[in-house]
């Protein structure tokens, strides 16, 4: 009987703690926004159709192993995916900084890694295939990115 007040307080505190941990953006921390990647994957090219190059670069840079690692369970080279997407982010950052030649080097690395090591297996679940399609659509835009070096 004497533990009921403490137990009750713990029940009230748990949702508040969980809610605080889930709201990284509310605390000023940057979090991956897949909607940005989805918009860019469906856009004609980077810079049009709501695909802002700076937003894309930031979100590509925020992709972590936890978003890519599940692909490895299906036989994909998840480390190559992550590396390629990070090079793509770097390319966009260099382009924004007025360094098109460095951007070209980073883009070249991203495209080469993606084309050599990243391939969708035929037996992958639909959910994973759809997520891959977003990343692949973004990489298509990186391939056609005009850099002017």
């Amino acid at each position: 009987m004497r533990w009921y007040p403490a137990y009750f307080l713990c029940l009230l505190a748990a949702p508040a703690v969980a809610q605080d941990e889930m709201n990284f953006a509310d605390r000023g921390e940057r979090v991956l926004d897949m909607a940005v990647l989805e918009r860019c994957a469906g856009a004609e090219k980077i810079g049009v159709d709501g695909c802002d190059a700076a937003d894309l670069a930031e979100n590509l840079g925020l992709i972590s192993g936890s978003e890519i690692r599940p692909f490895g369970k299906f036989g994909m080279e998840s480390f190559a995916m992550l590396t390629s997407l990070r090079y793509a982010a770097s390319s966009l950052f260099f382009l924004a900084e007025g360094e098109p030649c460095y951007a070209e080097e980073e883009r070249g690395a991203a495209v080469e890694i993606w084309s050599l090591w990243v391939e969708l297996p035929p037996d992958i679940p639909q959910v994973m295939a759809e997520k891959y399609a977003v990343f692949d659509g973004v990489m298509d835009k990186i391939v056609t990115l005009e850099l002017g070096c």
Side-chain angles (χ1 to χ4, degrees), residues 36-54 56 92 95 137-147:
V36 171
L37 299 180
E38 290 167 1
R39 270 194 314 273
C40 290
E44 182 182 331
K45 62 181 184 175
I46 296 171
V48 297
D49 298 331
C51 178
D52 181 68
L56 178 59
L92 292 169
L95 185 60
V138 168
M139 286 305 297
D140 286 344
K141 305 318 176 281
I142 297 296
V143 168
T144 61
L145 190 62
E146 296 176 16
L147 300 174

Side-chain angles (χ1 to χ4, degrees), residues 82-139:
L82 181 59
T83 303
S84 183
L85 293 167
R86 292 268 174 89
Y87 272 119
S90 181
S91 177
L92 292 169
F93 279 123
F94 277 122
L95 185 60
E97 292 293 315
E99 298 286 349
C101 293
Y102 289 127
E104 177 61 38
E105 287 181 32
E106 301 295 299
R107 181 181 72 117
V111 170
E112 185 172 357
I113 292 167
W114 192 267
S115 65
L116 290 175
W117 293 99
V118 180
E119 185 177 336
L120 186 67
D123 58 343
I124 197 163
Q126 183 65 29
V127 171
M128 297 302 292
E130 290 171 3
K131 191 170 184 179
Y132 171 82
V134 171
F135 295 131
D136 193 48
V138 168
M139 286 305 297

Side-chain angles (χ1 to χ4, degrees), residues 10-21:
C10 288
L11 287 176
L12 290 176
V17 170
Q19 182 68 22
D20 184 51
E21 290 177 359

